[in-house]
Amino acid sequence: MSNALMATYKRLPVSFERGEGVWLWDTQGKRYLDALSGIAVCGLGHAHPAIHKAICDQAATLLHTSNLYQIPLQEQLAEKLSALAGMQQVFFANSGAEANEAAIKIARFYGNQKGIQNPTIVVMDKSFHGRTLATLTATGNRKVQAGFEPLVQGFVRIPFGDIDSLKSVAENSPNVVAVLVEPVQGEGGINIPADDYLKQVRQICDQHEWLMMLDEIQTGIGRSGKFFSHQHQAIVPDVMTLAKALGNGMPIGACLVSGRATDLLGPGNHGTTFGGNPLACRVGLTVIETVEKLNLTTRAEVLGAKLLADFADALTDVAGVEEIRGQGLLIGIELDRPCGELVTRALEKGLLINVTADSVIRLLPPLIMSDKEAVNLVEVLSALIRDFLAEESD
């Protein structure tokens, strides 16, 4: 690996040359089943023909003008996302971290408009919201914060899924203006709260006139089995952030608002040079069109349930498997010990996976994965897990 790159990643010893569907080929011609989708980005898989055409067609006409001018494709994408989410307005950025930065600024602006000094946002343990100074402060992982002190003020942290803790904050923290939460924690280990958790958060936010802000960067655009994960609980947030799968590899982020967050920001309050450019928005529109055309939200729900059931059958009574959990095609297999070396073992077998929270195998396969490819995933990974746990137990 080149010494010209900052060593911010511990990269695996493989370089990919091309992809097609759920498969990737490295520079030596070896084929890999991609069960990670570039960390929930390539929901339509690799080299999807509709995305290829959209990029080529748009690149031949116009890539960038800046937000000094009207951008019709940006307006179309904003209208489409707003309609799908039942929300009102959208700010486009280039990444999930930038979308979350916008959400944090909206919450602070909202608090200051109400005359609240030192507006505070409630965030969760084990969360992940990005690596800018504000978003890494909001993130509930001390590892990503270490060395970057002083962190940003204005956050209070509670356990994820714990409504009693949120009620306690409401009683004792008068400066709170918002709650920022992932419907399903991805980096934290595919942690899924109780079925009524988001509804209760919504009720508490309404009661105290807080903004309910949902980070759907990993869960959004069909992966959960609904277009947005919060739709499983039939609620609408005041702020929602998106990125990852919205561009299927093209960098784009979005911050949607509704309710009391609508019309808060005006000219000069926030901005971006590249966000919402014609190319990114053309791709975003094509992604949404393709997800709808192929009914991939239902596919994610059906295939996710099948994968959970098949893994449960394959790993029944295997000592060391703590829990298999998921929502749609967000799947976590938690072991009773650190299992990071499974990533390398899987790579050797032609399978791309991830381990997060030290002991959770995280699977985020493309929404287009076939039943046959899903069977392959279960067979290869289950054998790897069995062998790993058996060796560790010797």
Side-chain angles (χ1 to χ4, degrees):
M1 190 174 72
S2 173
N3 290 329
L5 289 172
M6 287 191 187
T8 54
Y9 290 92
K10 188 176 181 181
R11 300 177 194 267
L12 291 165
V14 63
S15 298
F16 296 110
E17 193 169 64
R18 66 183 180 91
E20 182 179 342
V22 303
W23 300 96
L24 285 166
W25 283 262
D26 68 15
T27 52
Q28 306 304 311
K30 181 178 177 180
R31 190 176 75 157
Y32 299 78
L33 178 64
D34 184 0
L36 192 57
S37 303
I39 316 181
V41 168
C42 298
L44 301 182
H46 303 283
H48 192 284
I51 302 302
H52 173 255
K53 185 176 187 304
I55 291 173
C56 291
D57 288 352
Q58 191 60 43
T61 57
L62 189 65
L63 294 180
H64 176 79
T65 61
S66 92
N67 285 291
L68 294 175
Y69 312 104
Q70 295 179 5
I71 303 175
L73 286 166
Q74 186 181 118
E75 295 172 12
Q76 293 172 36
L77 182 55
E79 289 168 2
K80 185 64 177 178
L81 285 171
S82 296
L84 285 166
M87 300 178 75
Q88 274 69 58
Q89 297 170 334
V90 186
F91 172 83
F92 288 107
N94 308 287
S95 66
E98 287 180 56
N100 280 335
E101 282 279 342
I104 291 166
K105 287 182 70 174
I106 287 168
R108 288 195 171 192
F109 197 81
Y110 172 73
N112 280 295
Q113 292 292 98
K114 292 181 67 177
I116 296 175
Q117 294 185 344
N118 303 316
T120 300
I121 301 170
V122 180
V123 293
M124 308 297 156
D125 288 334
K126 300 182 180 179
S127 62
F128 185 85
H129 299 294
R131 292 184 181 272
T132 63
L133 276 174
T135 58
L136 72 81
T137 304
T139 292
N141 181 342
R142 180 58 191 152
K143 186 186 297 184
V144 305
Q145 298 170 343
F148 298 106
E149 297 82 359
L151 300 178
V152 178
Q153 296 181 344
F155 297 93
V156 58
R157 196 174 312 281
I158 63 173
F160 177 65
D162 188 338
I163 285 296
D164 288 338
S165 291
L166 185 58
K167 290 178 179 178
S168 178
V169 167
E171 294 171 359
N172 298 291
S173 303
N175 290 332
V176 169
V177 297
V179 177
L180 175 60
V181 61
E182 300 156 277
V184 175
Q185 289 188 331
E187 295 288 333
I190 312 298
N191 300 318
I192 304 170
D195 289 343
D196 63 347
Y197 175 63
L198 292 184
K199 283 187 176 181
Q200 292 190 68
V201 173
R202 175 75 275 179
Q203 291 169 359
I204 292 170
C205 287
D206 288 341
Q207 181 182 350
H208 297 279
E209 295 186 348
W210 298 345
L211 300 182
M212 182 183 187
M213 309 201 304
L214 296 183
D215 179 337
E216 291 247 20
I217 288 162
Q218 192 161 138
T219 56
I221 319 299
R223 179 161 293 280
S224 76
K226 300 286 188 182
F227 219 94
F228 309 110
S229 180
H230 69 267
Q231 292 173 332
H232 288 280
Q233 297 188 27
I235 57 124
V236 177
D238 298 299
V239 181
M240 176 175 66
T241 55
L242 302 170
K244 288 190 179 290
L246 180 57
N248 205 67
M250 178 61 62
I252 184 171
C255 180
L256 284 72
V257 297
S258 65
R260 52 180 68 95
T262 307
D263 290 325
L264 275 177
L265 299 185
N269 293 139
H270 199 44
T272 172
T273 296
F274 296 107
N277 67 57
L279 179 61
C281 289
R282 175 73 176 271
V283 172
L285 282 163
T286 303
V287 167
I288 292 172
E289 176 185 308
T290 306
V291 169
E292 290 185 314
K293 180 180 178 181
L294 300 179
N295 197 17
L296 292 179
T297 53
T298 299
R299 176 60 179 166
E301 183 176 33
V302 171
L303 185 59
K306 174 177 170 55
L307 283 169
L308 285 177
D310 288 352
F311 275 117
D313 288 343
L315 297 171
T316 298
D317 300 327
V318 175
V321 177
E322 292 283 286
E323 186 179 21
I324 302 169
R325 54 183 179 263
Q327 183 184 83
L329 289 176
L330 298 121
I331 295 171
I333 303 172
E334 184 172 1
L335 306 186
D336 65 356
R337 67 203 72 178
C339 58
E341 67 181 82
L342 277 172
V343 173
T344 302
R345 294 192 184 195
L347 190 70
E348 293 170 354
K349 295 291 185 180
L351 175 63
L352 305 183
I353 62 170
N354 175 242
V355 168
T356 191
D358 293 328
S359 59
V360 180
I361 301 159
R362 178 172 52 163
L363 302 175
L364 303 163
L367 278 57
I368 60 165
M369 176 174 275
S370 69
D371 287 349
K372 182 178 180 181
E373 291 159 345
V375 169
N376 185 359
L377 168 59
V378 172
E379 289 178 349
V380 174
L381 182 54
S382 296
L384 285 167
I385 291 171
R386 284 178 173 274
D387 290 346
F388 171 74
L389 292 171
E391 291 171 14
E392 290 285 305
S393 299
D394 289 343

